[in-house]
Amino acid sequence: PRTTLLFLSPKDLYTAPDSCKGRCEEPYSEEDECHCNAACERYHNCCEDYYRHCRPEGFSTSWDAITDEDLLHISEQLYKADHNKARPTDIAINPQYQASPDETGDREDRSPQPLYKYVNEELFSKPTYASFIKLLDNYQRVTGREEDVTAEELWEQDNFLREVMKTELMKKLFAFLHKKNRYGSEREFVADLKEMWFGLYSRSEGERDSSGFEHVFSGRACAGGMGGAGQRRAGGLTPGSPLCLGEVKKGKVSGFHNWIRFYLLEKQGIVNYFSHNFNGPWNTYPDVLGLQFSWDGFYKEVGAAFIGCSPEFEFGLYTLCFIARPGRACHLSLGGYSLSIQTYAWTKSTYGNGKKYIATAYVISP
């Protein structure tokens, strides 16, 4: 019988695994979906199980490691440096009904009044607030539609980054990351912030329709609305469960974590608060509230938001966790109370030297 030889190129034969099992310290290759050498920590492109297979002792063997203790310390520093946060007299909320774990998917409005009774809108004239709010209308809500970024919108992105970098909070964050050898200069840090947060990638059908900033802070909607049955979730704040508010996808809201965005939409009658399933232990701002709501007919079953923090606080905390613990729970301390944040990298496209965009970031249980 005749034998047919089929010749394949190495690229045809090779599919990069998404695990570090058996790949520790493997040389960098742009073909790899994720990486398993020490440089991946700096470029935020490690496989999710890198720390389990390649660094079981965590970061502690390296002088520029970011240890769990480092995260507790720097998060307390950032908490204390949030000088632009709301004062207790600036915000009054009305949480009303507390939903049980079995009720979060019911889509029933058990709170007849709005969540926000009062917000001192003078807060919004502060430079970081004003530049943040300018960004919120720059995005289409539905996934699958290409974003058309104008010169004005690019300027607004740069302006927001300029304003937050003037704050003590973001200067402390940069100093920490610089000491840990993640960035060589503030200019490098700001350039990377712009890419990881504002760089566009595709969540649907190849269109560059989303970014980390849009998903986390602005939000979107998906076809389906309030019609279908709610998918129940077991328990409010359980490890790994998102406390998030944004994008609409498959009939539900995804992303949308920001209290300012929520307040502005509720004021317009576009967001309808239903109930809450978690109220954090803080007796001042920032606080954390887990909540249920509808956004223009689309439902958010388990959402969460920092309440009363400055834009730079939320932006800085999520950035810290994305750099230090991408794909893993990031354990922090705020005012002596434990809080954890989960971030995920967008794995289907990269920028620079294989760096990853932010896919999402949200609060989870301590």
Side-chain angles (χ1 to χ4, degrees):
R2 178 179 295 177
T3 300
T4 301
L5 298 179
L6 180 64
F7 292 94
L8 297 175
S9 71
K11 185 174 181 179
D12 294 325
L13 291 168
Y14 180 71
T15 301
D18 59 3
S19 170
C20 280
K21 188 174 182 180
R23 295 178 56 211
C24 296
E25 297 308 317
E26 183 178 83
Y28 173 83
S29 169
E30 63 180 14
E31 299 289 337
D32 292 343
E33 180 176 331
C34 56
H35 306 280
C36 303
N37 54 44
C40 74
E41 296 172 7
R42 177 167 185 178
Y43 292 110
H44 336 311
N45 56 18
C46 300
C47 298
E48 288 189 17
D49 60 1
Y50 168 74
Y51 303 96
R52 180 154 48 95
H53 291 297
C54 304
R55 298 290 287 275
E57 72 285 1
F59 287 97
S60 58
T61 58
S62 171
W63 70 271
D64 59 359
I66 299 177
T67 66
D68 290 345
E69 290 72 25
D70 287 333
L71 287 172
L72 297 177
H73 181 67
I74 185 61
S75 56
E76 283 289 0
Q77 285 192 313
L78 299 183
Y79 179 78
K80 291 172 184 174
D82 189 11
H83 305 308
N84 284 329
K85 68 183 178 182
R87 298 163 299 179
T89 55
D90 286 330
I91 300 175
I93 61 172
N94 184 17
Q96 301 166 80
Y97 188 82
Q98 182 162 1
S100 69
D102 291 338
E103 293 174 324
T104 58
D106 288 349
R107 305 189 179 204
E108 289 189 25
D109 184 356
R110 296 181 169 94
S111 301
Q113 302 300 317
L115 173 61
Y116 286 92
K117 294 170 66 175
Y118 169 75
V119 171
N120 177 9
E121 294 192 9
E122 289 182 11
L123 281 171
F124 302 159
S125 65
K126 291 175 180 280
T128 58
Y129 285 80
S131 59
F132 173 82
I133 290 169
K134 285 276 191 184
L135 293 168
L136 294 178
D137 64 356
N138 288 353
Y139 301 101
Q140 299 187 59
R141 191 176 62 181
V142 180
T143 53
R145 295 179 186 172
E146 181 93 12
E147 294 287 356
D148 181 19
V149 183
T150 67
E152 180 183 6
E153 290 169 354
L154 289 172
W155 183 89
E156 289 172 352
Q157 293 171 8
D158 290 335
N159 187 52
F160 171 71
L161 293 172
R162 276 193 299 270
E163 292 299 340
V164 297
M165 287 307 301
K166 293 176 185 177
T167 66
E168 180 187 346
L169 188 151
M170 288 299 288
K171 288 187 179 299
K172 280 185 179 293
L173 176 60
F174 167 69
F176 172 78
L177 295 172
H178 177 66
K179 181 180 178 182
K180 295 297 183 178
N181 202 30
R182 296 310 192 268
Y183 297 100
S185 67
E186 187 172 311
R187 176 177 291 184
E188 181 189 352
F189 178 48
V190 173
D192 199 33
L193 286 174
K194 185 168 183 178
E195 289 292 341
M196 74 169 74
W197 278 107
F198 295 104
L200 291 174
Y201 51 81
S202 173
R203 286 184 186 264
S204 177
E205 300 174 354
E207 301 289 347
R208 295 171 72 242
D209 60 356
S210 190
S211 69
F213 183 91
E214 175 187 18
H215 181 82
V216 173
F217 293 106
S218 182
R220 288 181 175 243
C222 332
M226 296 280 287
Q231 186 178 26
R232 293 181 183 274
R233 209 171 260 169
L237 294 180
T238 54
S241 72
L243 291 177
C244 30
L245 305 177
E247 284 181 305
V248 178
K249 193 172 183 183
K250 298 180 180 175
K252 293 185 180 181
V253 178
S254 64
F256 188 175
H257 304 253
N258 182 257
W259 76 270
I260 301 169
R261 174 74 160 158
F262 189 100
Y263 165 74
L264 293 173
L265 291 180
E266 186 178 61
K267 184 181 176 182
Q268 296 173 47
I270 298 171
V271 163
N272 180 23
Y273 171 72
F274 280 21
S275 57
H276 71 286
N277 62 298
F278 174 80
N279 195 340
W282 295 270
N283 56 14
T284 185
Y285 297 118
D287 198 354
V288 175
L289 190 71
L291 61 162
Q292 292 71 50
F293 62 94
S294 70
W295 175 26
D296 203 15
F298 300 97
Y299 188 60
K300 186 67 178 181
E301 183 177 323
V302 181
F306 286 105
I307 307 291
C309 67
S310 69
E312 61 266 28
F313 176 82
E314 202 168 358
F315 187 73
L317 234 55
Y318 291 149
T319 298
L320 169 67
C321 286
F322 182 67
I323 291 169
R325 299 290 187 271
R328 293 196 296 156
C330 177
H331 303 300
L332 308 176
S333 178
L334 304 180
Y337 292 102
S338 297
L339 181 82
S340 299
I341 287 172
Q342 178 74 49
T343 64
Y344 285 105
W346 187 253
T347 60
K348 297 179 182 178
S349 55
T350 61
Y351 66 91
N353 186 16
K355 290 188 176 186
K356 302 287 182 65
Y357 301 105
I358 291 176
T360 191
Y362 52 82
V363 182
I364 58 176
S365 59

